[in-house]
Amino acid sequence: MGIPLVEFNNVSFRYNEQSSWALKNCSFIIEKDEWIAIIGHNGSGKSTIAKLMNGLLFPSEGEILINGVELTHETVWDIRRDIGMVFQNPDNQFVGATVQDDIAFGMENRGMERELMIERIESSLQAVEMTEYRLIEPHRLSGGQKQRIAIAGILAVSPSLLILDEATVMLDPRGRSEIMSTVAELRVAESLSLITITHDLNEVAQADKVIVLNQGEIWKVTEPRQLFTEKVTLKNMGLDIPFITALVDELKKRKIEIENEPLNDKELLEELWTLHLKT
């Protein structure tokens, strides 16, 4: 067992007394240095979990612990210092007239010294490969560039946990791939714990574990490779299986037997090459 970073203990939530439960009796532990993907159909409770982690909402029942501290109205501001969150639409997070002004905003709120702020602006822009855009107005950037700047703004305040709440949903496939590759690299370089919340199963292959939500409840906590064997159930839950998984199914229908469940194109090529050597 690793060190618990986020703990949900029998957490339920509803937005008002007349509404149905958005989350029902959810319990799970996310450890430090883990990459966890939280997936589910629209309305399954994914974004509610993200907002609960960051103290934008508080449980109707149960408790949430962050680094061993219970999330309450009294502790929320200290807890948020360790959590960075990137939402679907980066325009909702921009407040500065230029890219560097926007990145500086969070650090100014924390009272960081000017010299440190200058250093952090430079290092965070380098991390997301956006250094040459520092004086550009954020609204002039493409969708993928905006998300990179949103991530840079979070990195500048050095959180221990980064949450991406459907952060690639507005991007085209190439933009999604680029952002997820950047995040995977940053996770290692910055020693970040990472939570990606999505309905796109193509984004979860690199995660350590996957939490699957269905109608506000936890259906399963598992590893990506095992999850992708649950094709029929995932489709019934309204989730599209990854392209590689669908391709393997088609190959099997044509009597091309793949022994292991590939997570990406590289693993599929290795499986096909191994099969070729055996024939």
Side-chain angles (χ1 to χ4, degrees), residues 9-270:
N9 297 320
N10 302 312
V11 171
S12 297
F13 179 83
R14 58 182 175 181
Y15 286 89
N16 57 62
E17 293 184 359
Q18 287 72 44
S19 66
S20 58
W21 292 97
L23 287 179
K24 292 175 283 187
N25 198 35
C26 290
S27 295
F28 59 85
I29 295 175
I30 296 173
E31 298 175 0
K32 290 184 178 179
D33 299 324
E34 275 192 315
W35 180 343
I36 303 297
I38 301 177
I39 67 170
H41 57 80
N42 290 333
S44 62
K46 305 185 303 297
S47 289
T48 300
I49 280 184
K51 292 172 183 175
L52 285 165
M53 286 182 188
N54 202 31
L56 297 174
L57 300 173
F58 292 88
S60 303
E61 297 177 2
E63 66 174 5
I64 298 171
L65 304 178
I66 309 293
N67 278 323
V69 177
E70 183 176 0
L71 180 62
T72 66
H73 291 281
E74 289 72 34
T75 63
V76 64
W77 295 107
D78 288 333
I79 285 173
R80 280 182 183 167
R81 298 178 71 88
D82 287 330
I83 299 175
M85 195 163 173
V86 179
F87 297 94
Q88 292 182 24
N89 189 347
D91 288 320
N92 295 335
Q93 296 180 246
F94 293 141
V95 294
T98 66
V99 164
Q100 69 175 9
D101 290 342
D102 195 80
I103 295 174
F105 180 77
M107 294 185 285
E108 287 175 340
N109 283 344
R110 300 190 181 197
M112 292 184 179
E113 296 182 358
R114 178 176 174 78
E115 291 75 15
L116 179 58
M117 288 173 56
I118 293 172
E119 179 183 318
R120 291 275 182 87
I121 289 171
E122 180 66 24
S123 62
S124 62
L125 283 173
Q126 286 181 353
V128 298
E129 299 180 352
M130 290 290 289
T131 305
E132 67 269 32
Y133 295 90
R134 65 167 66 243
L135 299 179
I136 300 295
E137 298 171 1
H139 73 269
R140 296 182 180 276
L141 301 174
S142 69
Q145 290 170 337
K146 288 177 180 178
Q147 285 295 39
R148 286 176 181 270
I149 295 305
I151 293 170
I154 298 299
L155 292 177
V157 296
S158 296
S160 58
L161 171 63
L162 176 61
I163 303 173
L164 303 185
D165 183 11
E166 299 275 15
T168 64
V169 72
M170 299 179 68
L171 305 180
D172 59 29
R174 180 177 179 181
R176 290 181 185 181
S177 177
E178 289 176 351
I179 288 296
M180 294 311 298
S181 294
T182 297
V183 167
E185 293 170 2
L186 290 174
R187 179 207 171 203
V188 176
E190 304 288 335
S191 299
L192 289 170
S193 300
L194 178 63
I195 298 173
T196 51
I197 296 174
T198 182
H199 63 271
D200 184 353
L201 268 68
N202 290 293
E203 293 186 7
V204 309
Q206 298 178 75
D208 298 312
K209 288 191 302 191
V210 186
I211 298 172
V212 187
L213 291 173
N214 187 32
Q215 298 181 347
E217 299 181 86
I218 294 178
W219 173 67
K220 181 171 287 191
V221 180
T222 186
E223 296 179 357
R225 199 179 304 277
Q226 180 61 38
L227 176 66
F228 294 160
T229 66
E230 306 272 2
K231 303 174 185 68
V232 175
T233 303
L234 291 171
K235 287 182 178 179
N236 290 338
M237 289 168 55
L239 295 169
D240 292 328
I241 63 174
F243 171 75
I244 292 296
T245 303
L247 178 57
V248 169
D249 276 356
E250 290 300 318
L251 291 173
K252 289 180 178 179
K253 289 177 183 178
R254 288 161 172 76
K255 308 302 182 184
I256 301 174
E257 290 301 324
I258 307 297
E259 292 184 7
N260 300 307
E261 190 72 28
L263 291 177
N264 50 53
D265 52 358
K266 181 179 179 181
E267 290 188 0
L268 176 56
L269 287 172
E270 290 176 352

